[in-house]
Amino acid sequence: MIGLRSDTVTLPTADMRRYMLLAELGDDDRDGDPTTKKLERMVAACLGKEAALFFPSGVMANQASVRLLARSGTEVFIDADAHIATAEMGGVAEMTGAQLRLVAPSGSTMTAADLRAVMRLPAPHQIEPSLVIIENTHTGAGGVVVEPAEMAAIADVARAAKSHVHLDGARLWHASVASGHDLVEFAKHADTVMVDFSKALGAPIGAAVATTEARIPELWRIRKRFGGSMRQTGMLAAAAIYALERHIVRLADDHRTAQALAAQLSARQPNRARAPQTNIVLVDLPEGIDASRVASLAQARGVRVAPRTARQLRAVTHLGVSLADVMYAGDVLADAIDTEIVRAKQA
Ligand SMILES: *Cc1c(COP(=O)(O)O)cnc(C)c1O
């Protein structure tokens, strides 16, 4: 089976598993686990931040960051199609007591102008904003890179409204590799940066939040309250260290396979696949063609893609798929769409 539904499906490689078994371990919540501490220093260094904390999941890392920076009863501004809005809906209300304000992007992702257009001018009778969230790469838009200059402009709008900035950088690695900008160029515009190790990199579990040293004690307390403080986390941190050292550089391969998949499909179904900037290919289906039917036809021939909406499919490349795999997948998808077009005409 060629698994293209998400890059969360990646498995630890044999070498990564060996590296995990050799990790030096300690009680992380009590004294700090040495391998986890090493990972946290690495993450902070590569993002240009003072410190970082390891989390069991990206969602918890996002929610803890929001809890740290936003206040109950305030407004949190976010792109309407960002993960914290679409997949964590309710989390911010429940954990922080703040309200998400969804900003519809004028183009593919929320810009500074989009944000400025919806922010109210501060006044005693207005709702108080406290946080602006940026997602990079933007998953819902198809792995789109938000350029550092745009992030800077968004951060300026946020600061003018006395709001903090959180960066959901689950795939910030991809943004950096694809654009050539150093991770620091993105991270410097945010107060907290979440990065994920279980997307495309092969690590089984884990995320981190990087921020200032001064914010770490409160973030630690929030993580504890959320149930995310753990013990011998070194085995998980070791997988993440291995991923940072060996698997970031190869993300360029995933971007190439995503382009090859889009090209292979477009040769037979023009203008269906959006040209990918990173590892996510969105396929917009013709009117009257059902995404889940196309996905099941593809699955019957060994290719798993995700129906995202009734008329959109998503295919994500990662270290578990080769160039040959995506060429085959492109043909299978083109066949499946053809079959459904014929069927729709006969109906
Ligand atoms: C996957 C994802 C998350 C959540 O990460 P988990 O480790 O699966 O909890 C958050 N934000 C974005 C943009 C993601 O793609």
Side-chain angles (χ1 to χ4, degrees):
M1 199 54 92
I2 300 170
L4 296 167
R5 286 174 303 163
S6 175
D7 49 10
T8 54
V9 300
T10 55
L11 301 178
T13 60
D15 282 343
M16 183 186 276
R17 289 173 197 236
R18 274 191 285 277
Y19 193 77
M20 291 167 73
L21 288 177
L22 296 175
E24 195 191 332
L25 303 177
D27 185 334
D28 193 51
D29 190 42
R30 195 164 300 275
D31 320 305
D33 168 277
T35 308
T36 306
K37 288 230 160 304
K38 181 181 170 191
L39 171 67
E40 289 168 344
R41 282 193 300 271
M42 277 176 75
V43 169
C46 74
L47 294 171
K49 297 290 184 197
E50 290 171 7
L53 264 194
F54 184 69
F55 278 81
S57 73
V59 168
M60 193 192 284
N62 271 339
Q63 292 297 327
S65 302
V66 173
R67 183 71 184 78
L68 179 75
L69 299 176
R71 291 178 308 283
S72 171
T74 63
E75 251 181 343
V76 173
F77 290 79
I78 185 166
D79 185 303
D81 207 17
H83 193 279
I84 292 177
T86 60
E88 303 174 35
M89 182 61 93
V92 170
E94 182 161 9
M95 310 293 203
T96 302
Q99 182 70 37
L100 286 183
R101 176 91 174 273
L102 307 188
V103 183
S106 51
S108 63
T109 65
M110 179 184 76
T111 62
D114 296 335
L115 181 62
R116 200 180 293 110
V118 298
M119 270 192 152
R120 301 179 187 91
L121 292 175
H125 65 282
Q126 295 288 22
I127 303 158
E128 193 191 345
S130 63
L131 179 65
V132 172
I133 297 171
I134 304 173
E135 182 174 311
N136 208 359
T137 63
H138 191 297
T139 311
V144 169
V145 178
V146 182
E147 285 293 323
E150 189 64 52
M151 286 192 64
I154 293 171
D156 282 347
V157 176
R159 303 252 141 76
K162 296 195 171 58
S163 294
H164 292 297
V165 176
H166 171 63
L167 171 55
D168 178 348
R171 295 184 187 79
L172 194 64
W173 326 108
H174 298 74
S176 171
V177 168
S179 68
H181 298 298
D182 194 278
L183 289 165
V184 174
E185 294 305 308
F186 298 98
K188 70 180 181 189
H189 302 297
D191 300 287
T192 48
V193 182
M194 185 280 263
V195 288
D196 208 308
F197 309 115
S198 64
K199 300 277 169 75
L201 300 179
I205 267 183
V209 176
T211 185
T212 59
E213 193 72 59
R215 287 199 168 103
I216 292 291
E218 181 59 12
L219 188 60
W220 186 295
R221 284 189 284 270
I222 293 169
R223 184 181 67 173
K224 180 86 180 177
R225 292 206 295 278
F226 284 11
S229 290
M230 302 182 289
R231 305 302 181 179
Q232 286 72 28
T233 44
M235 288 174 85
L236 302 172
I241 291 171
Y242 187 93
L244 294 189
E245 286 176 344
R246 312 286 173 93
H247 290 168
I248 301 283
V249 286
R250 60 153 307 288
L251 290 178
D253 297 344
D254 297 347
H255 301 167
R256 273 192 289 276
T257 48
Q259 279 160 14
L261 173 58
Q264 188 74 2
L265 177 58
S266 301
R268 288 182 40 203
Q269 307 277 353
N271 307 322
R272 294 286 161 219
R274 301 200 198 160
Q277 290 181 11
T278 57
N279 67 329
I280 300 175
V281 183
L282 295 181
V283 182
D284 297 304
L285 297 170
E287 179 108 42
I289 301 302
D290 182 57
S292 36
R293 292 189 64 101
V294 174
S296 23
L297 285 178
Q299 185 169 339
R301 290 179 60 196
V303 175
R304 294 190 91 173
V305 293
R308 219 181 144 249
T309 65
R311 269 184 56 201
Q312 192 181 66
L313 291 170
R314 187 179 89 156
V316 189
T317 60
H318 51 75
L319 59 74
V321 292
S322 66
L323 189 58
D325 289 340
V326 297
M327 301 300 265
Y328 172 73
D331 283 334
V332 164
L333 282 176
D335 287 345
I337 296 170
D338 273 340
T339 305
E340 282 302 300
I341 290 174
V342 170
R343 209 185 59 85
K345 279 201 187 115
Q346 285 166 350

